[in-house]
Amino acid sequence: MLTIGPYQFQSRLLMGTGKFSSLEIQSRAVEESGAEILTFALRRLNLDNPREPHFLERLDLKRYRLLPNTAGAKTAEEAVRIARLARASGMCDMIKVEVIGNSHTLLPDPIATLEATRQLVEEGFIVLPYIGDDPILAKRLEEAGAHAVMPGASPIGSGQGILNPLYLTFIIREAKIPVIVDAGIGAPSDAALAMELGADGVLLNSAVAHAKNPVSMARGMRLAVEAGRLAHQSGRIPKKEAASASSPMEGLPT
Amino acid sequence: MLTIGPYQFQSRLLMGTGKFSSLEIQSRAVEESGAEILTFALRRLNLDNPREPHFLERLDLKRYRLLPNTAGAKTAEEAVRIARLARASGMCDMIKVEVIGNSHTLLPDPIATLEATRQLVEEGFIVLPYIGDDPILAKRLEEAGAHAVMPGASPIGSGQGILNPLYLTFIIREAKIPVIVDAGIGAPSDAALAMELGADGVLLNSAVAHAKNPVSMARGMRLAVEAGRLAHQSGRIPKKEAASASSPMEGLPT
Amino acid sequence: MLTIGPYQFQSRLLMGTGKFSSLEIQSRAVEESGAEILTFALRRLNLDNPREPHFLERLDLKRYRLLPNTAGAKTAEEAVRIARLARASGMCDMIKVEVIGNSHTLLPDPIATLEATRQLVEEGFIVLPYIGDDPILAKRLEEAGAHAVMPGASPIGSGQGILNPLYLTFIIREAKIPVIVDAGIGAPSDAALAMELGADGVLLNSAVAHAKNPVSMARGMRLAVEAGRLAHQSGRIPKKEAASASSPMEGLPT
Amino acid sequence: MLTIGPYQFQSRLLMGTGKFSSLEIQSRAVEESGAEILTFALRRLNLDNPREPHFLERLDLKRYRLLPNTAGAKTAEEAVRIARLARASGMCDMIKVEVIGNSHTLLPDPIATLEATRQLVEEGFIVLPYIGDDPILAKRLEEAGAHAVMPGASPIGSGQGILNPLYLTFIIREAKIPVIVDAGIGAPSDAALAMELGADGVLLNSAVAHAKNPVSMARGMRLAVEAGRLAHQSGRIPKKEAASASSPMEGLPT
């Protein structure tokens, strides 16, 4: 059971809803993923428009919990403003803080993310900040009252998988709040590895939405997250140079 | 559907039957894995003994196809002799050729493996040679009539996963026979990656048998193989430096 | 020529002075390294003691520029106080800001490091903050007036080399100030790679001080830094799947 | 001192002579590399032509030992024939056996390479077979009388560096003859790593010939080979998770 603030979830795979070629594909992929938490950029919604936004129309909103994000924000103030808008819309009191610090790499700004998190926690939000993979920043966010941390595996949309498993391990080991690996997942093996390292969940979007077949890829990701979770609980074998080695791998010169 | 010689299988996860702490655990893990092909070292059986060997007793042999291996052989001749014994026992006409070339690394002997494969093909066996990850050797074995090749991900029992995904990719791309990744798998992420690269199946043993909980790890491996297969069919996204990069990753200086 | 604030250096290898088994070995290793900048923890000096500290006695201080660091500081305030002590001692107006955020990993605190850097820049120091490998933080430090940034390759003293070459590349590509790779270097190949990626310099300590033969390892590091710098200037070949590939490596599925 | 058969060399960097844009650049790069052994494809020479081939004209042949290779051979027979031609030309009794098994990957044929090596050893050549990175094959070649083995780091001309440091380590650890890492080196960090792993030498060509500035890259490679050799002799520090870890790195889940 994944617990974030007051909410509980069976599924440990969170799905982004952007970048799909059609709403039909999107809803079928979301279905196959088994996700219970769906993220989306609030700026993609036209909140002034009385009509419910399209992608929400297609979903049975009783089955999902919405996690709007503050994509588009470049400062803590902008992120806070977007979060307030999201809550005012009545959709959810969960917010993914996303303050991008570079338009090419789309890596997040650690300072602004911490500021926005502090403010939003104070205002009573359930706050999930998206960060790089800095273990100390993750701890500072936890101390600031974040309800989960969402370290990136690699740059958003890059499909590179987990660039630095060691720092991710440090984050997981120290965290008393859930760790959701977010950004950069490219394939089921990446998602499985995140869970094997002990992550509490995985959030992904491009890897499914931009796959040639998003619907079957969504199913692959679902299975991989389950597989990785099982492995984490089952106690994997240590890595050894060879079966005959009496101790786990020592630092070979590479 | 995985086709090896005249046989067809739904499952793409092959299980080794050694190293389990008990027959009870073994049979439950095999069950959870969904495997239809079970490997075992013929030398572990006491063929002169009228009693059926223990681990076979526990299994419903109608549900599984047995793949005895020639473990213990250090030469082509020994491998051929063991294979003949296996067939004479009436268990199966499939044989995994395993000729170990080094007692520490347990890496296979490419020369003896090719020799034994040639001989056993000539004698009408269904031959699955276990090899390192040499793409040219894999092709020579195919030319010699092997029915599948079984490249190792890393040393037997090491749990190191896929040390050289490029050479494995070369083997898969060139092969007209099934490629079963064998040896070194440590976690579901490794098994998923093998399938994502296009392998036709994965064989593992220690990763399940030596896990703290072999039964749930077996289930994790089953899901991971399915996840990786789905991803291979679904067309994963290319790796890019960042989402904004217009082309897939180019050779950064590392 | 490496330029940091008002100072210029021929050597791009900076040496830490701690952890050596003897002052004799230390001074010989420093000599072999060709380093012109030496770092040390101010807390190792007994500033109240009228006697010059030992390791400084052995060195011809006209040949080296001292870069005291604030090791031991856990907050921005402590770092600032140590920096002021260092300057008051008359040794140098350069300071390496080091605020450790975790006593196991020894990874730096991004928030406190930025705060201390801002304060020390304002007070006229030449400031070199030690950070993790967050590209956005590196940019924020540059904007705060830092004279160089010192991203870690991996945890201090771990010898793991460069865990995340991509983020290091992002830092280097965006920086208008020198980038000195600091912490985690284990072998000359690591130092060479840092320079090949475009770093302006490398700082190391344990890899030399704890080598079996620190003096010859220091020479190896010196050559490696030169080799990597030459390679960066010489334009390395792109990575390709094979020589016959018409384009640089594209995102293979791993 | 590198000893191959009856010959001894100070330099541990072997240079290929192909692919340079001009003979002028070639000779200057060779000079900067410090190489004492030069390789070239015999087929590039026009042996029937009374004129000495161009690239040999430019070199002071007293300073170098020539190592012709059998590039172009696809079978053991062709390799043997080329080797005999090379010796008949009076250039050298050393021969690099190179039997390519795939025209895309340019990976060598293990079976044909062993056959050719056996034959050429019998005929009194000093034989250096180029192989993939199969540790058992390397041992079989040593048993066949090879005077050195030349495992590839990655495919010829790929610049990918060392794909499988573990198997290279196995080769080096077991070998009683020199191990020269050949093929795939892209940058000085790769060459340094090969030497740190304990290789006796490094052979490269494309990484220098196709660099933007081949002459300065040649110098970088020379320094890197020296740096890696020094590190191997100096006893590098073990890799640890963190400085505070009491034991070298154990098998983290990746």
Side-chain angles (χ1 to χ4, degrees):
Chain A
M1 197 76 94
L2 171 62
T3 302
I4 300 176
Y7 307 119
Q8 290 195 315
F9 307 94
Q10 298 291 333
S11 165
R12 292 175 181 276
L13 176 57
L14 293 73
M15 282 287 294
T17 57
K19 308 179 188 178
F20 284 90
S21 58
S22 76
L23 291 173
E24 166 71 17
I25 298 288
Q26 185 205 54
S27 61
R28 287 174 52 208
V30 165
E31 180 74 30
E32 278 292 335
S33 74
E36 296 169 44
I37 302 177
L38 302 183
T39 67
F40 62 96
L42 194 75
R43 62 170 172 180
R44 279 173 44 221
L45 302 186
N46 187 349
L47 291 173
D48 301 329
N49 194 319
R51 295 185 296 113
E52 186 86 341
H54 286 312
F55 96 92
L56 296 174
E57 283 176 21
R58 306 273 307 209
L59 298 166
D60 176 0
L61 288 178
K62 291 185 199 112
R63 295 173 55 199
Y64 302 103
R65 193 159 290 280
L66 296 179
L67 175 59
N69 68 51
T70 66
K74 292 183 178 173
T75 65
E77 293 69 31
E78 290 171 6
V80 168
R81 193 168 59 233
I82 296 173
R84 289 173 184 155
L85 270 175
R87 185 158 62 177
S89 77
M91 281 184 292
C92 190
D93 59 350
M94 291 210 298
I95 188 78
K96 175 179 162 187
V97 175
E98 182 173 332
V99 187
I100 298 303
N102 181 287
S103 60
H104 171 63
T105 65
L106 301 181
L107 288 172
D109 184 316
I111 313 298
T113 299
L114 179 58
E115 283 175 29
T117 296
R118 281 191 177 129
Q119 180 63 32
L120 292 168
V121 166
E122 194 167 300
E123 298 186 13
F125 284 85
I126 309 299
V127 187
L128 298 86
Y130 161 60
I131 60 170
D133 57 11
D134 184 323
I136 309 300
L137 179 66
K139 186 45 88 178
R140 296 294 168 263
L141 287 160
E142 179 181 313
E143 292 164 357
H147 298 78
V149 282
M150 309 186 82
S154 48
I156 293 175
S158 72
Q160 292 190 65
I162 301 176
L163 292 176
N164 193 338
L166 182 67
Y167 286 10
L168 194 51
T169 299
F170 286 158
I171 291 174
I172 291 166
R173 199 190 286 167
E174 294 282 328
K176 295 190 176 68
I177 53 177
V179 177
I180 314 289
V181 174
D182 181 7
I185 298 296
S189 54
D190 302 329
L193 177 57
M195 298 304 295
E196 291 162 10
L197 294 172
D200 297 281
V202 169
L203 190 161
L204 52 83
N205 189 341
S206 302
V208 164
H210 286 169
K212 291 221 173 76
N213 185 336
V215 179
S216 57
M217 186 61 90
R219 178 157 184 77
M221 290 296 185
R222 176 187 192 152
L223 297 176
V225 167
E226 290 177 24
R229 179 71 182 171
L230 280 166
H232 180 66
Q233 296 172 322
S234 303
R236 64 156 289 164
I237 57 172
K239 293 186 179 186
K240 297 193 293 183
E241 183 185 283
S244 57
S246 56
S247 62
M249 275 190 81
E250 298 181 16
L252 283 177
T254 185
Chain B
M1 197 75 96
L2 171 63
T3 303
I4 300 176
Y7 306 119
Q8 291 195 314
F9 307 94
Q10 298 291 334
S11 165
R12 292 176 181 277
L13 176 57
L14 294 73
M15 282 286 295
T17 56
K19 308 178 188 178
F20 285 90
S21 58
S22 77
L23 291 174
E24 166 71 16
I25 296 288
Q26 183 204 56
S27 61
R28 288 175 51 209
V30 165
E31 180 74 29
E32 278 293 334
S33 75
E36 297 169 43
I37 302 177
L38 302 182
T39 65
F40 61 96
L42 195 75
R43 63 172 171 178
R44 280 174 41 221
L45 302 186
N46 187 350
L47 291 172
D48 301 330
N49 193 320
R51 294 186 296 111
E52 186 87 340
H54 287 310
F55 97 94
L56 296 174
E57 280 176 24
R58 306 275 305 210
L59 297 167
D60 175 359
L61 288 178
K62 290 184 199 113
R63 294 174 54 199
Y64 302 102
R65 194 157 290 280
L66 296 178
L67 175 59
N69 67 51
T70 65
K74 292 183 179 173
T75 65
E77 294 68 33
E78 289 171 7
V80 168
R81 192 167 61 235
I82 295 172
R84 288 172 183 155
L85 271 174
R87 183 157 67 177
S89 76
M91 282 182 292
C92 190
D93 59 351
M94 291 210 298
I95 189 80
K96 174 179 163 187
V97 174
E98 183 174 332
V99 187
I100 297 304
N102 181 288
S103 60
H104 171 63
T105 66
L106 301 182
L107 288 172
D109 184 317
I111 313 299
T113 300
L114 179 58
E115 282 176 30
T117 297
R118 281 190 177 129
Q119 180 63 33
L120 292 169
V121 166
E122 193 166 298
E123 298 185 14
F125 284 85
I126 309 298
V127 187
L128 297 85
Y130 161 60
I131 61 171
D133 57 11
D134 184 323
I136 310 299
L137 179 66
K139 185 47 85 176
R140 296 291 169 266
L141 286 160
E142 179 182 313
E143 293 164 353
H147 298 79
V149 282
M150 309 186 84
S154 49
I156 292 175
S158 71
Q160 293 191 63
I162 301 177
L163 292 176
N164 194 338
L166 182 68
Y167 286 9
L168 193 51
T169 299
F170 287 158
I171 291 174
I172 290 166
R173 198 190 286 167
E174 294 280 328
K176 295 192 176 68
I177 53 176
V179 176
I180 314 290
V181 173
D182 181 9
I185 297 296
S189 54
D190 302 329
L193 177 56
M195 298 305 293
E196 290 163 11
L197 294 172
D200 297 281
V202 169
L203 190 160
L204 51 83
N205 189 341
S206 302
V208 164
H210 285 167
K212 292 220 173 75
N213 185 334
V215 179
S216 57
M217 185 61 91
R219 178 155 184 78
M221 291 296 186
R222 175 188 192 153
L223 297 177
V225 167
E226 290 177 24
R229 179 70 182 170
L230 279 167
H232 180 65
Q233 296 172 324
S234 303
R236 65 156 286 162
I237 57 172
K239 293 186 180 185
K240 296 194 293 184
E241 183 187 282
S244 56
S246 57
S247 62
M249 277 189 82
E250 298 180 15
L252 284 177
T254 185
Chain C
M1 196 78 94
L2 171 62
T3 302
I4 299 176
Y7 306 119
Q8 291 195 314
F9 307 94
Q10 297 292 333
S11 166
R12 291 174 181 276
L13 175 57
L14 293 72
M15 283 287 294
T17 56
K19 308 177 186 179
F20 284 90
S21 58
S22 76
L23 293 175
E24 165 71 17
I25 297 288
Q26 183 206 55
S27 60
R28 285 175 53 208
V30 165
E31 179 74 29
E32 278 292 334
S33 74
E36 296 169 41
I37 302 178
L38 302 184
T39 67
F40 62 96
L42 195 74
R43 62 170 171 180
R44 281 172 44 222
L45 301 187
N46 188 349
L47 290 174
D48 300 330
N49 193 319
R51 294 187 296 112
E52 186 87 341
H54 286 312
F55 96 93
L56 296 175
E57 281 176 23
R58 305 276 306 209
L59 297 167
D60 175 0
L61 288 177
K62 291 185 199 112
R63 293 174 55 199
Y64 302 102
R65 193 159 291 278
L66 296 179
L67 175 60
N69 67 51
T70 65
K74 291 182 178 174
T75 65
E77 293 68 33
E78 289 171 8
V80 168
R81 193 167 59 235
I82 295 173
R84 288 173 185 154
L85 271 174
R87 186 160 62 177
S89 77
M91 281 184 290
C92 190
D93 59 351
M94 293 210 298
I95 189 79
K96 175 179 163 187
V97 174
E98 183 172 333
V99 186
I100 296 305
N102 181 288
S103 61
H104 171 63
T105 66
L106 301 183
L107 288 172
D109 185 316
I111 314 299
T113 299
L114 179 58
E115 282 175 31
T117 296
R118 280 192 179 127
Q119 180 63 35
L120 292 169
V121 165
E122 195 167 299
E123 298 186 13
F125 284 86
I126 308 299
V127 188
L128 298 84
Y130 161 60
I131 60 170
D133 58 11
D134 185 322
I136 310 299
L137 179 66
K139 185 46 87 176
R140 295 292 169 265
L141 287 161
E142 179 181 314
E143 293 164 355
H147 298 79
V149 282
M150 310 187 82
S154 50
I156 293 175
S158 72
Q160 292 191 63
I162 301 177
L163 291 176
N164 194 337
L166 183 67
Y167 286 10
L168 193 52
T169 299
F170 286 159
I171 291 175
I172 290 166
R173 199 190 287 167
E174 295 281 329
K176 294 192 178 67
I177 52 176
V179 177
I180 313 289
V181 174
D182 181 9
I185 298 295
S189 54
D190 302 329
L193 177 56
M195 298 303 295
E196 290 163 11
L197 293 171
D200 297 282
V202 169
L203 190 160
L204 52 83
N205 188 341
S206 303
V208 164
H210 286 168
K212 293 219 173 77
N213 185 335
V215 180
S216 56
M217 186 61 91
R219 177 157 184 77
M221 291 297 186
R222 174 187 194 153
L223 297 176
V225 168
E226 290 177 24
R229 179 71 183 172
L230 280 167
H232 180 65
Q233 297 172 322
S234 303
R236 66 157 284 162
I237 57 172
K239 293 184 180 188
K240 297 194 294 184
E241 184 187 282
S244 56
S246 57
S247 61
M249 277 191 83
E250 297 178 19
L252 283 179
T254 184
Chain D
M1 198 75 95
L2 171 62
T3 301
I4 300 175
Y7 306 118
Q8 292 195 313
F9 307 94
Q10 298 291 334
S11 166
R12 291 174 181 276
L13 175 57
L14 293 72
M15 283 287 293
T17 56
K19 307 177 189 181
F20 284 90
S21 59
S22 76
L23 292 175
E24 166 69 17
I25 298 288
Q26 184 205 53
S27 61
R28 286 175 51 208
V30 164
E31 179 74 29
E32 278 292 334
S33 75
E36 296 170 42
I37 302 177
L38 302 183
T39 65
F40 62 96
L42 195 74
R43 62 172 172 178
R44 279 172 46 220
L45 302 187
N46 188 348
L47 291 173
D48 300 330
N49 193 320
R51 294 187 295 114
E52 186 87 341
H54 287 309
F55 97 93
L56 296 175
E57 281 175 24
R58 305 275 306 210
L59 298 167
D60 176 359
L61 289 177
K62 290 182 199 116
R63 294 174 53 199
Y64 302 102
R65 193 158 292 278
L66 296 179
L67 174 60
N69 68 51
T70 66
K74 292 181 178 173
T75 64
E77 294 69 33
E78 290 172 7
V80 168
R81 194 168 59 235
I82 295 172
R84 289 173 183 153
L85 271 174
R87 184 158 64 177
S89 77
M91 282 183 291
C92 190
D93 59 350
M94 292 211 296
I95 188 81
K96 174 179 162 188
V97 174
E98 182 173 333
V99 187
I100 297 303
N102 181 288
S103 60
H104 171 63
T105 65
L106 301 181
L107 288 171
D109 185 318
I111 314 299
T113 299
L114 180 58
E115 283 177 31
T117 297
R118 281 189 177 130
Q119 181 63 34
L120 292 169
V121 165
E122 193 166 301
E123 297 187 13
F125 284 85
I126 308 300
V127 187
L128 298 86
Y130 162 60
I131 61 171
D133 57 11
D134 184 323
I136 310 301
L137 179 66
K139 185 47 84 176
R140 295 291 169 267
L141 286 161
E142 179 181 313
E143 293 164 355
H147 298 79
V149 282
M150 309 186 84
S154 49
I156 292 175
S158 72
Q160 291 190 66
I162 301 176
L163 293 175
N164 194 336
L166 182 67
Y167 286 10
L168 194 51
T169 299
F170 287 159
I171 292 174
I172 291 167
R173 199 191 285 168
E174 294 281 328
K176 296 192 176 68
I177 52 176
V179 177
I180 314 289
V181 174
D182 181 7
I185 297 296
S189 53
D190 302 328
L193 177 56
M195 298 304 295
E196 289 162 12
L197 294 172
D200 297 280
V202 169
L203 189 159
L204 52 83
N205 188 340
S206 302
V208 164
H210 285 169
K212 291 221 175 75
N213 185 335
V215 179
S216 56
M217 186 61 91
R219 176 154 186 80
M221 291 296 186
R222 175 187 191 154
L223 296 177
V225 168
E226 289 177 25
R229 179 70 182 172
L230 279 167
H232 180 66
Q233 296 172 322
S234 302
R236 66 156 284 161
I237 56 172
K239 293 186 181 187
K240 298 195 293 185
E241 184 186 282
S244 55
S246 57
S247 61
M249 278 189 82
E250 297 180 18
L252 284 176
T254 184

